[in-house]
Amino acid sequence: LDTPGAKTAADHWAFQRDTLNPMAERIAPLLAEALLREEDTAPMGRLLSEWSHHDDPELAAPLVFHAVYDRFAPLVFTHELAEELAEVMLSNWYFWQERLAAMVDANDSEWFDDHTTDELVETRDDLFVRAAREVAAELGAELGSDPASWRWGDAHRLEFVSPLRRDGVGKGLLGGGSHAMPGSGETLHRGLYDYDEPFAVSVSASVRMVVDLADDDKVLAVLPGGVTGRHLHPHYTDQIDAF
């Protein structure tokens, strides 16, 4: 937005679709450096070190980043707060995400050390590696042992459901199906998921629209549910793919 010159409708459309993750730009290089030091986590480290920091569904690195960082967070806080309180805090991004990023940057916080292990003094990078190993075991069982074969869109998905049938038999008939979703909670292309229910998208755009304020007829918009709210209508889901 700071670059010289007028902004076109196409520019504004691109802004809404921007998948660059500024938090990953800041943290992924530190995470990659730690993972590259260990033989078993090095493949994940290489993915992060070569990543453009865009949360695009066809890439493996976004899934590595989000999964490892989300697993890293409870390793930092649970030993001090105990599991129940840590879960309450972690369930709301606003309580901890910015603070944790600052702690990662500074790399001098006592929170990284698990004080229940008297014989060890854990570091930020120790917890990065531990989190990566847990993620490798969990996602490896679901998506295969090679992290390069994982895809953000395989895990990060947006499901369109009808308020008449959100679960159970008939959900698919009345809804619009499950779709690979770009973005995350850190991108302009909004694809926020709940911390305790990764990586199902819970917040996204309800409509995308670009309007030429000099011409009332120049309006470009897409509604993920189509242009009608009538179930089984031929236009009920016809804008989902465009969205």
Side-chain angles (χ1 to χ4, degrees):
L1 289 173
D2 288 339
T3 57
K7 301 298 180 288
T8 67
D11 288 330
H12 283 278
W13 196 251
F15 298 157
Q16 295 188 44
R17 302 283 293 172
D18 187 357
T19 60
L20 179 65
N21 183 331
M23 189 176 77
E25 283 188 303
R26 175 181 175 185
I27 293 173
L30 304 174
L31 178 56
E33 185 178 0
L35 301 189
L36 285 168
R37 295 193 194 105
E38 303 294 331
E39 183 178 358
D40 58 335
T41 59
M44 301 169 83
R46 282 191 291 272
L47 287 169
L48 293 176
S49 66
E50 297 167 359
W51 181 30
S52 66
H53 307 122
H54 283 80
D55 287 333
D56 292 333
E58 68 275 11
L59 300 180
L63 181 53
V64 171
F65 175 74
H66 286 281
V68 173
Y69 195 63
D70 291 356
R71 188 63 58 91
F72 168 74
L75 295 179
V76 174
F77 295 117
T78 300
H79 59 82
E80 295 287 354
L81 299 179
E83 187 170 347
E84 184 177 356
L85 182 56
E87 287 180 356
V88 171
M89 185 188 75
L90 292 168
S91 67
N92 190 321
W93 301 104
Y94 293 103
F95 288 152
W96 61 273
Q97 192 176 53
E98 287 297 322
R99 180 59 186 153
L100 181 59
M103 291 163 59
V104 168
D105 277 340
N107 195 23
D108 60 359
S109 175
E110 293 185 3
W111 285 81
F112 296 138
D113 178 33
D114 183 350
H115 296 299
T116 65
T117 57
D118 295 334
E119 71 283 4
L120 296 174
V121 178
E122 289 86 357
T123 66
R124 177 199 70 187
D125 290 358
D126 290 334
L127 299 188
F128 276 158
V129 170
R130 186 185 302 177
R133 286 172 174 159
E134 292 181 7
V135 166
E138 181 178 327
L139 291 185
E142 299 176 15
L143 302 176
S145 59
D146 181 9
S149 68
W150 302 350
R151 297 292 177 263
W152 181 227
D154 289 341
H156 187 247
R157 302 187 69 82
L158 175 63
E159 184 173 19
F160 295 97
V161 294
S162 166
L164 298 182
R165 192 66 173 172
R166 294 183 177 275
D167 297 294
V169 177
K171 178 181 70 170
L173 178 64
L174 296 181
S178 175
H179 303 264
M181 185 69 176
S184 67
E186 309 311 311
T187 62
L188 291 180
H189 191 307
R190 202 70 167 150
L192 180 68
Y193 59 89
D194 296 332
Y195 175 83
D196 50 358
E197 291 188 25
F199 297 95
V201 176
S202 57
V203 176
S204 183
S206 58
V207 59
R208 294 198 183 98
M209 180 181 292
V210 172
V211 178
D212 184 342
L213 299 180
D215 188 334
D216 291 344
D217 291 330
K218 291 183 179 178
V219 178
L220 181 63
V222 57
L223 288 159
V227 295
T228 175
R230 290 181 288 172
H231 288 84
L232 306 181
H233 190 281
H235 297 303
Y236 181 55
T237 60
D238 61 358
Q239 291 192 34
I240 286 179
D241 288 341
F243 178 83

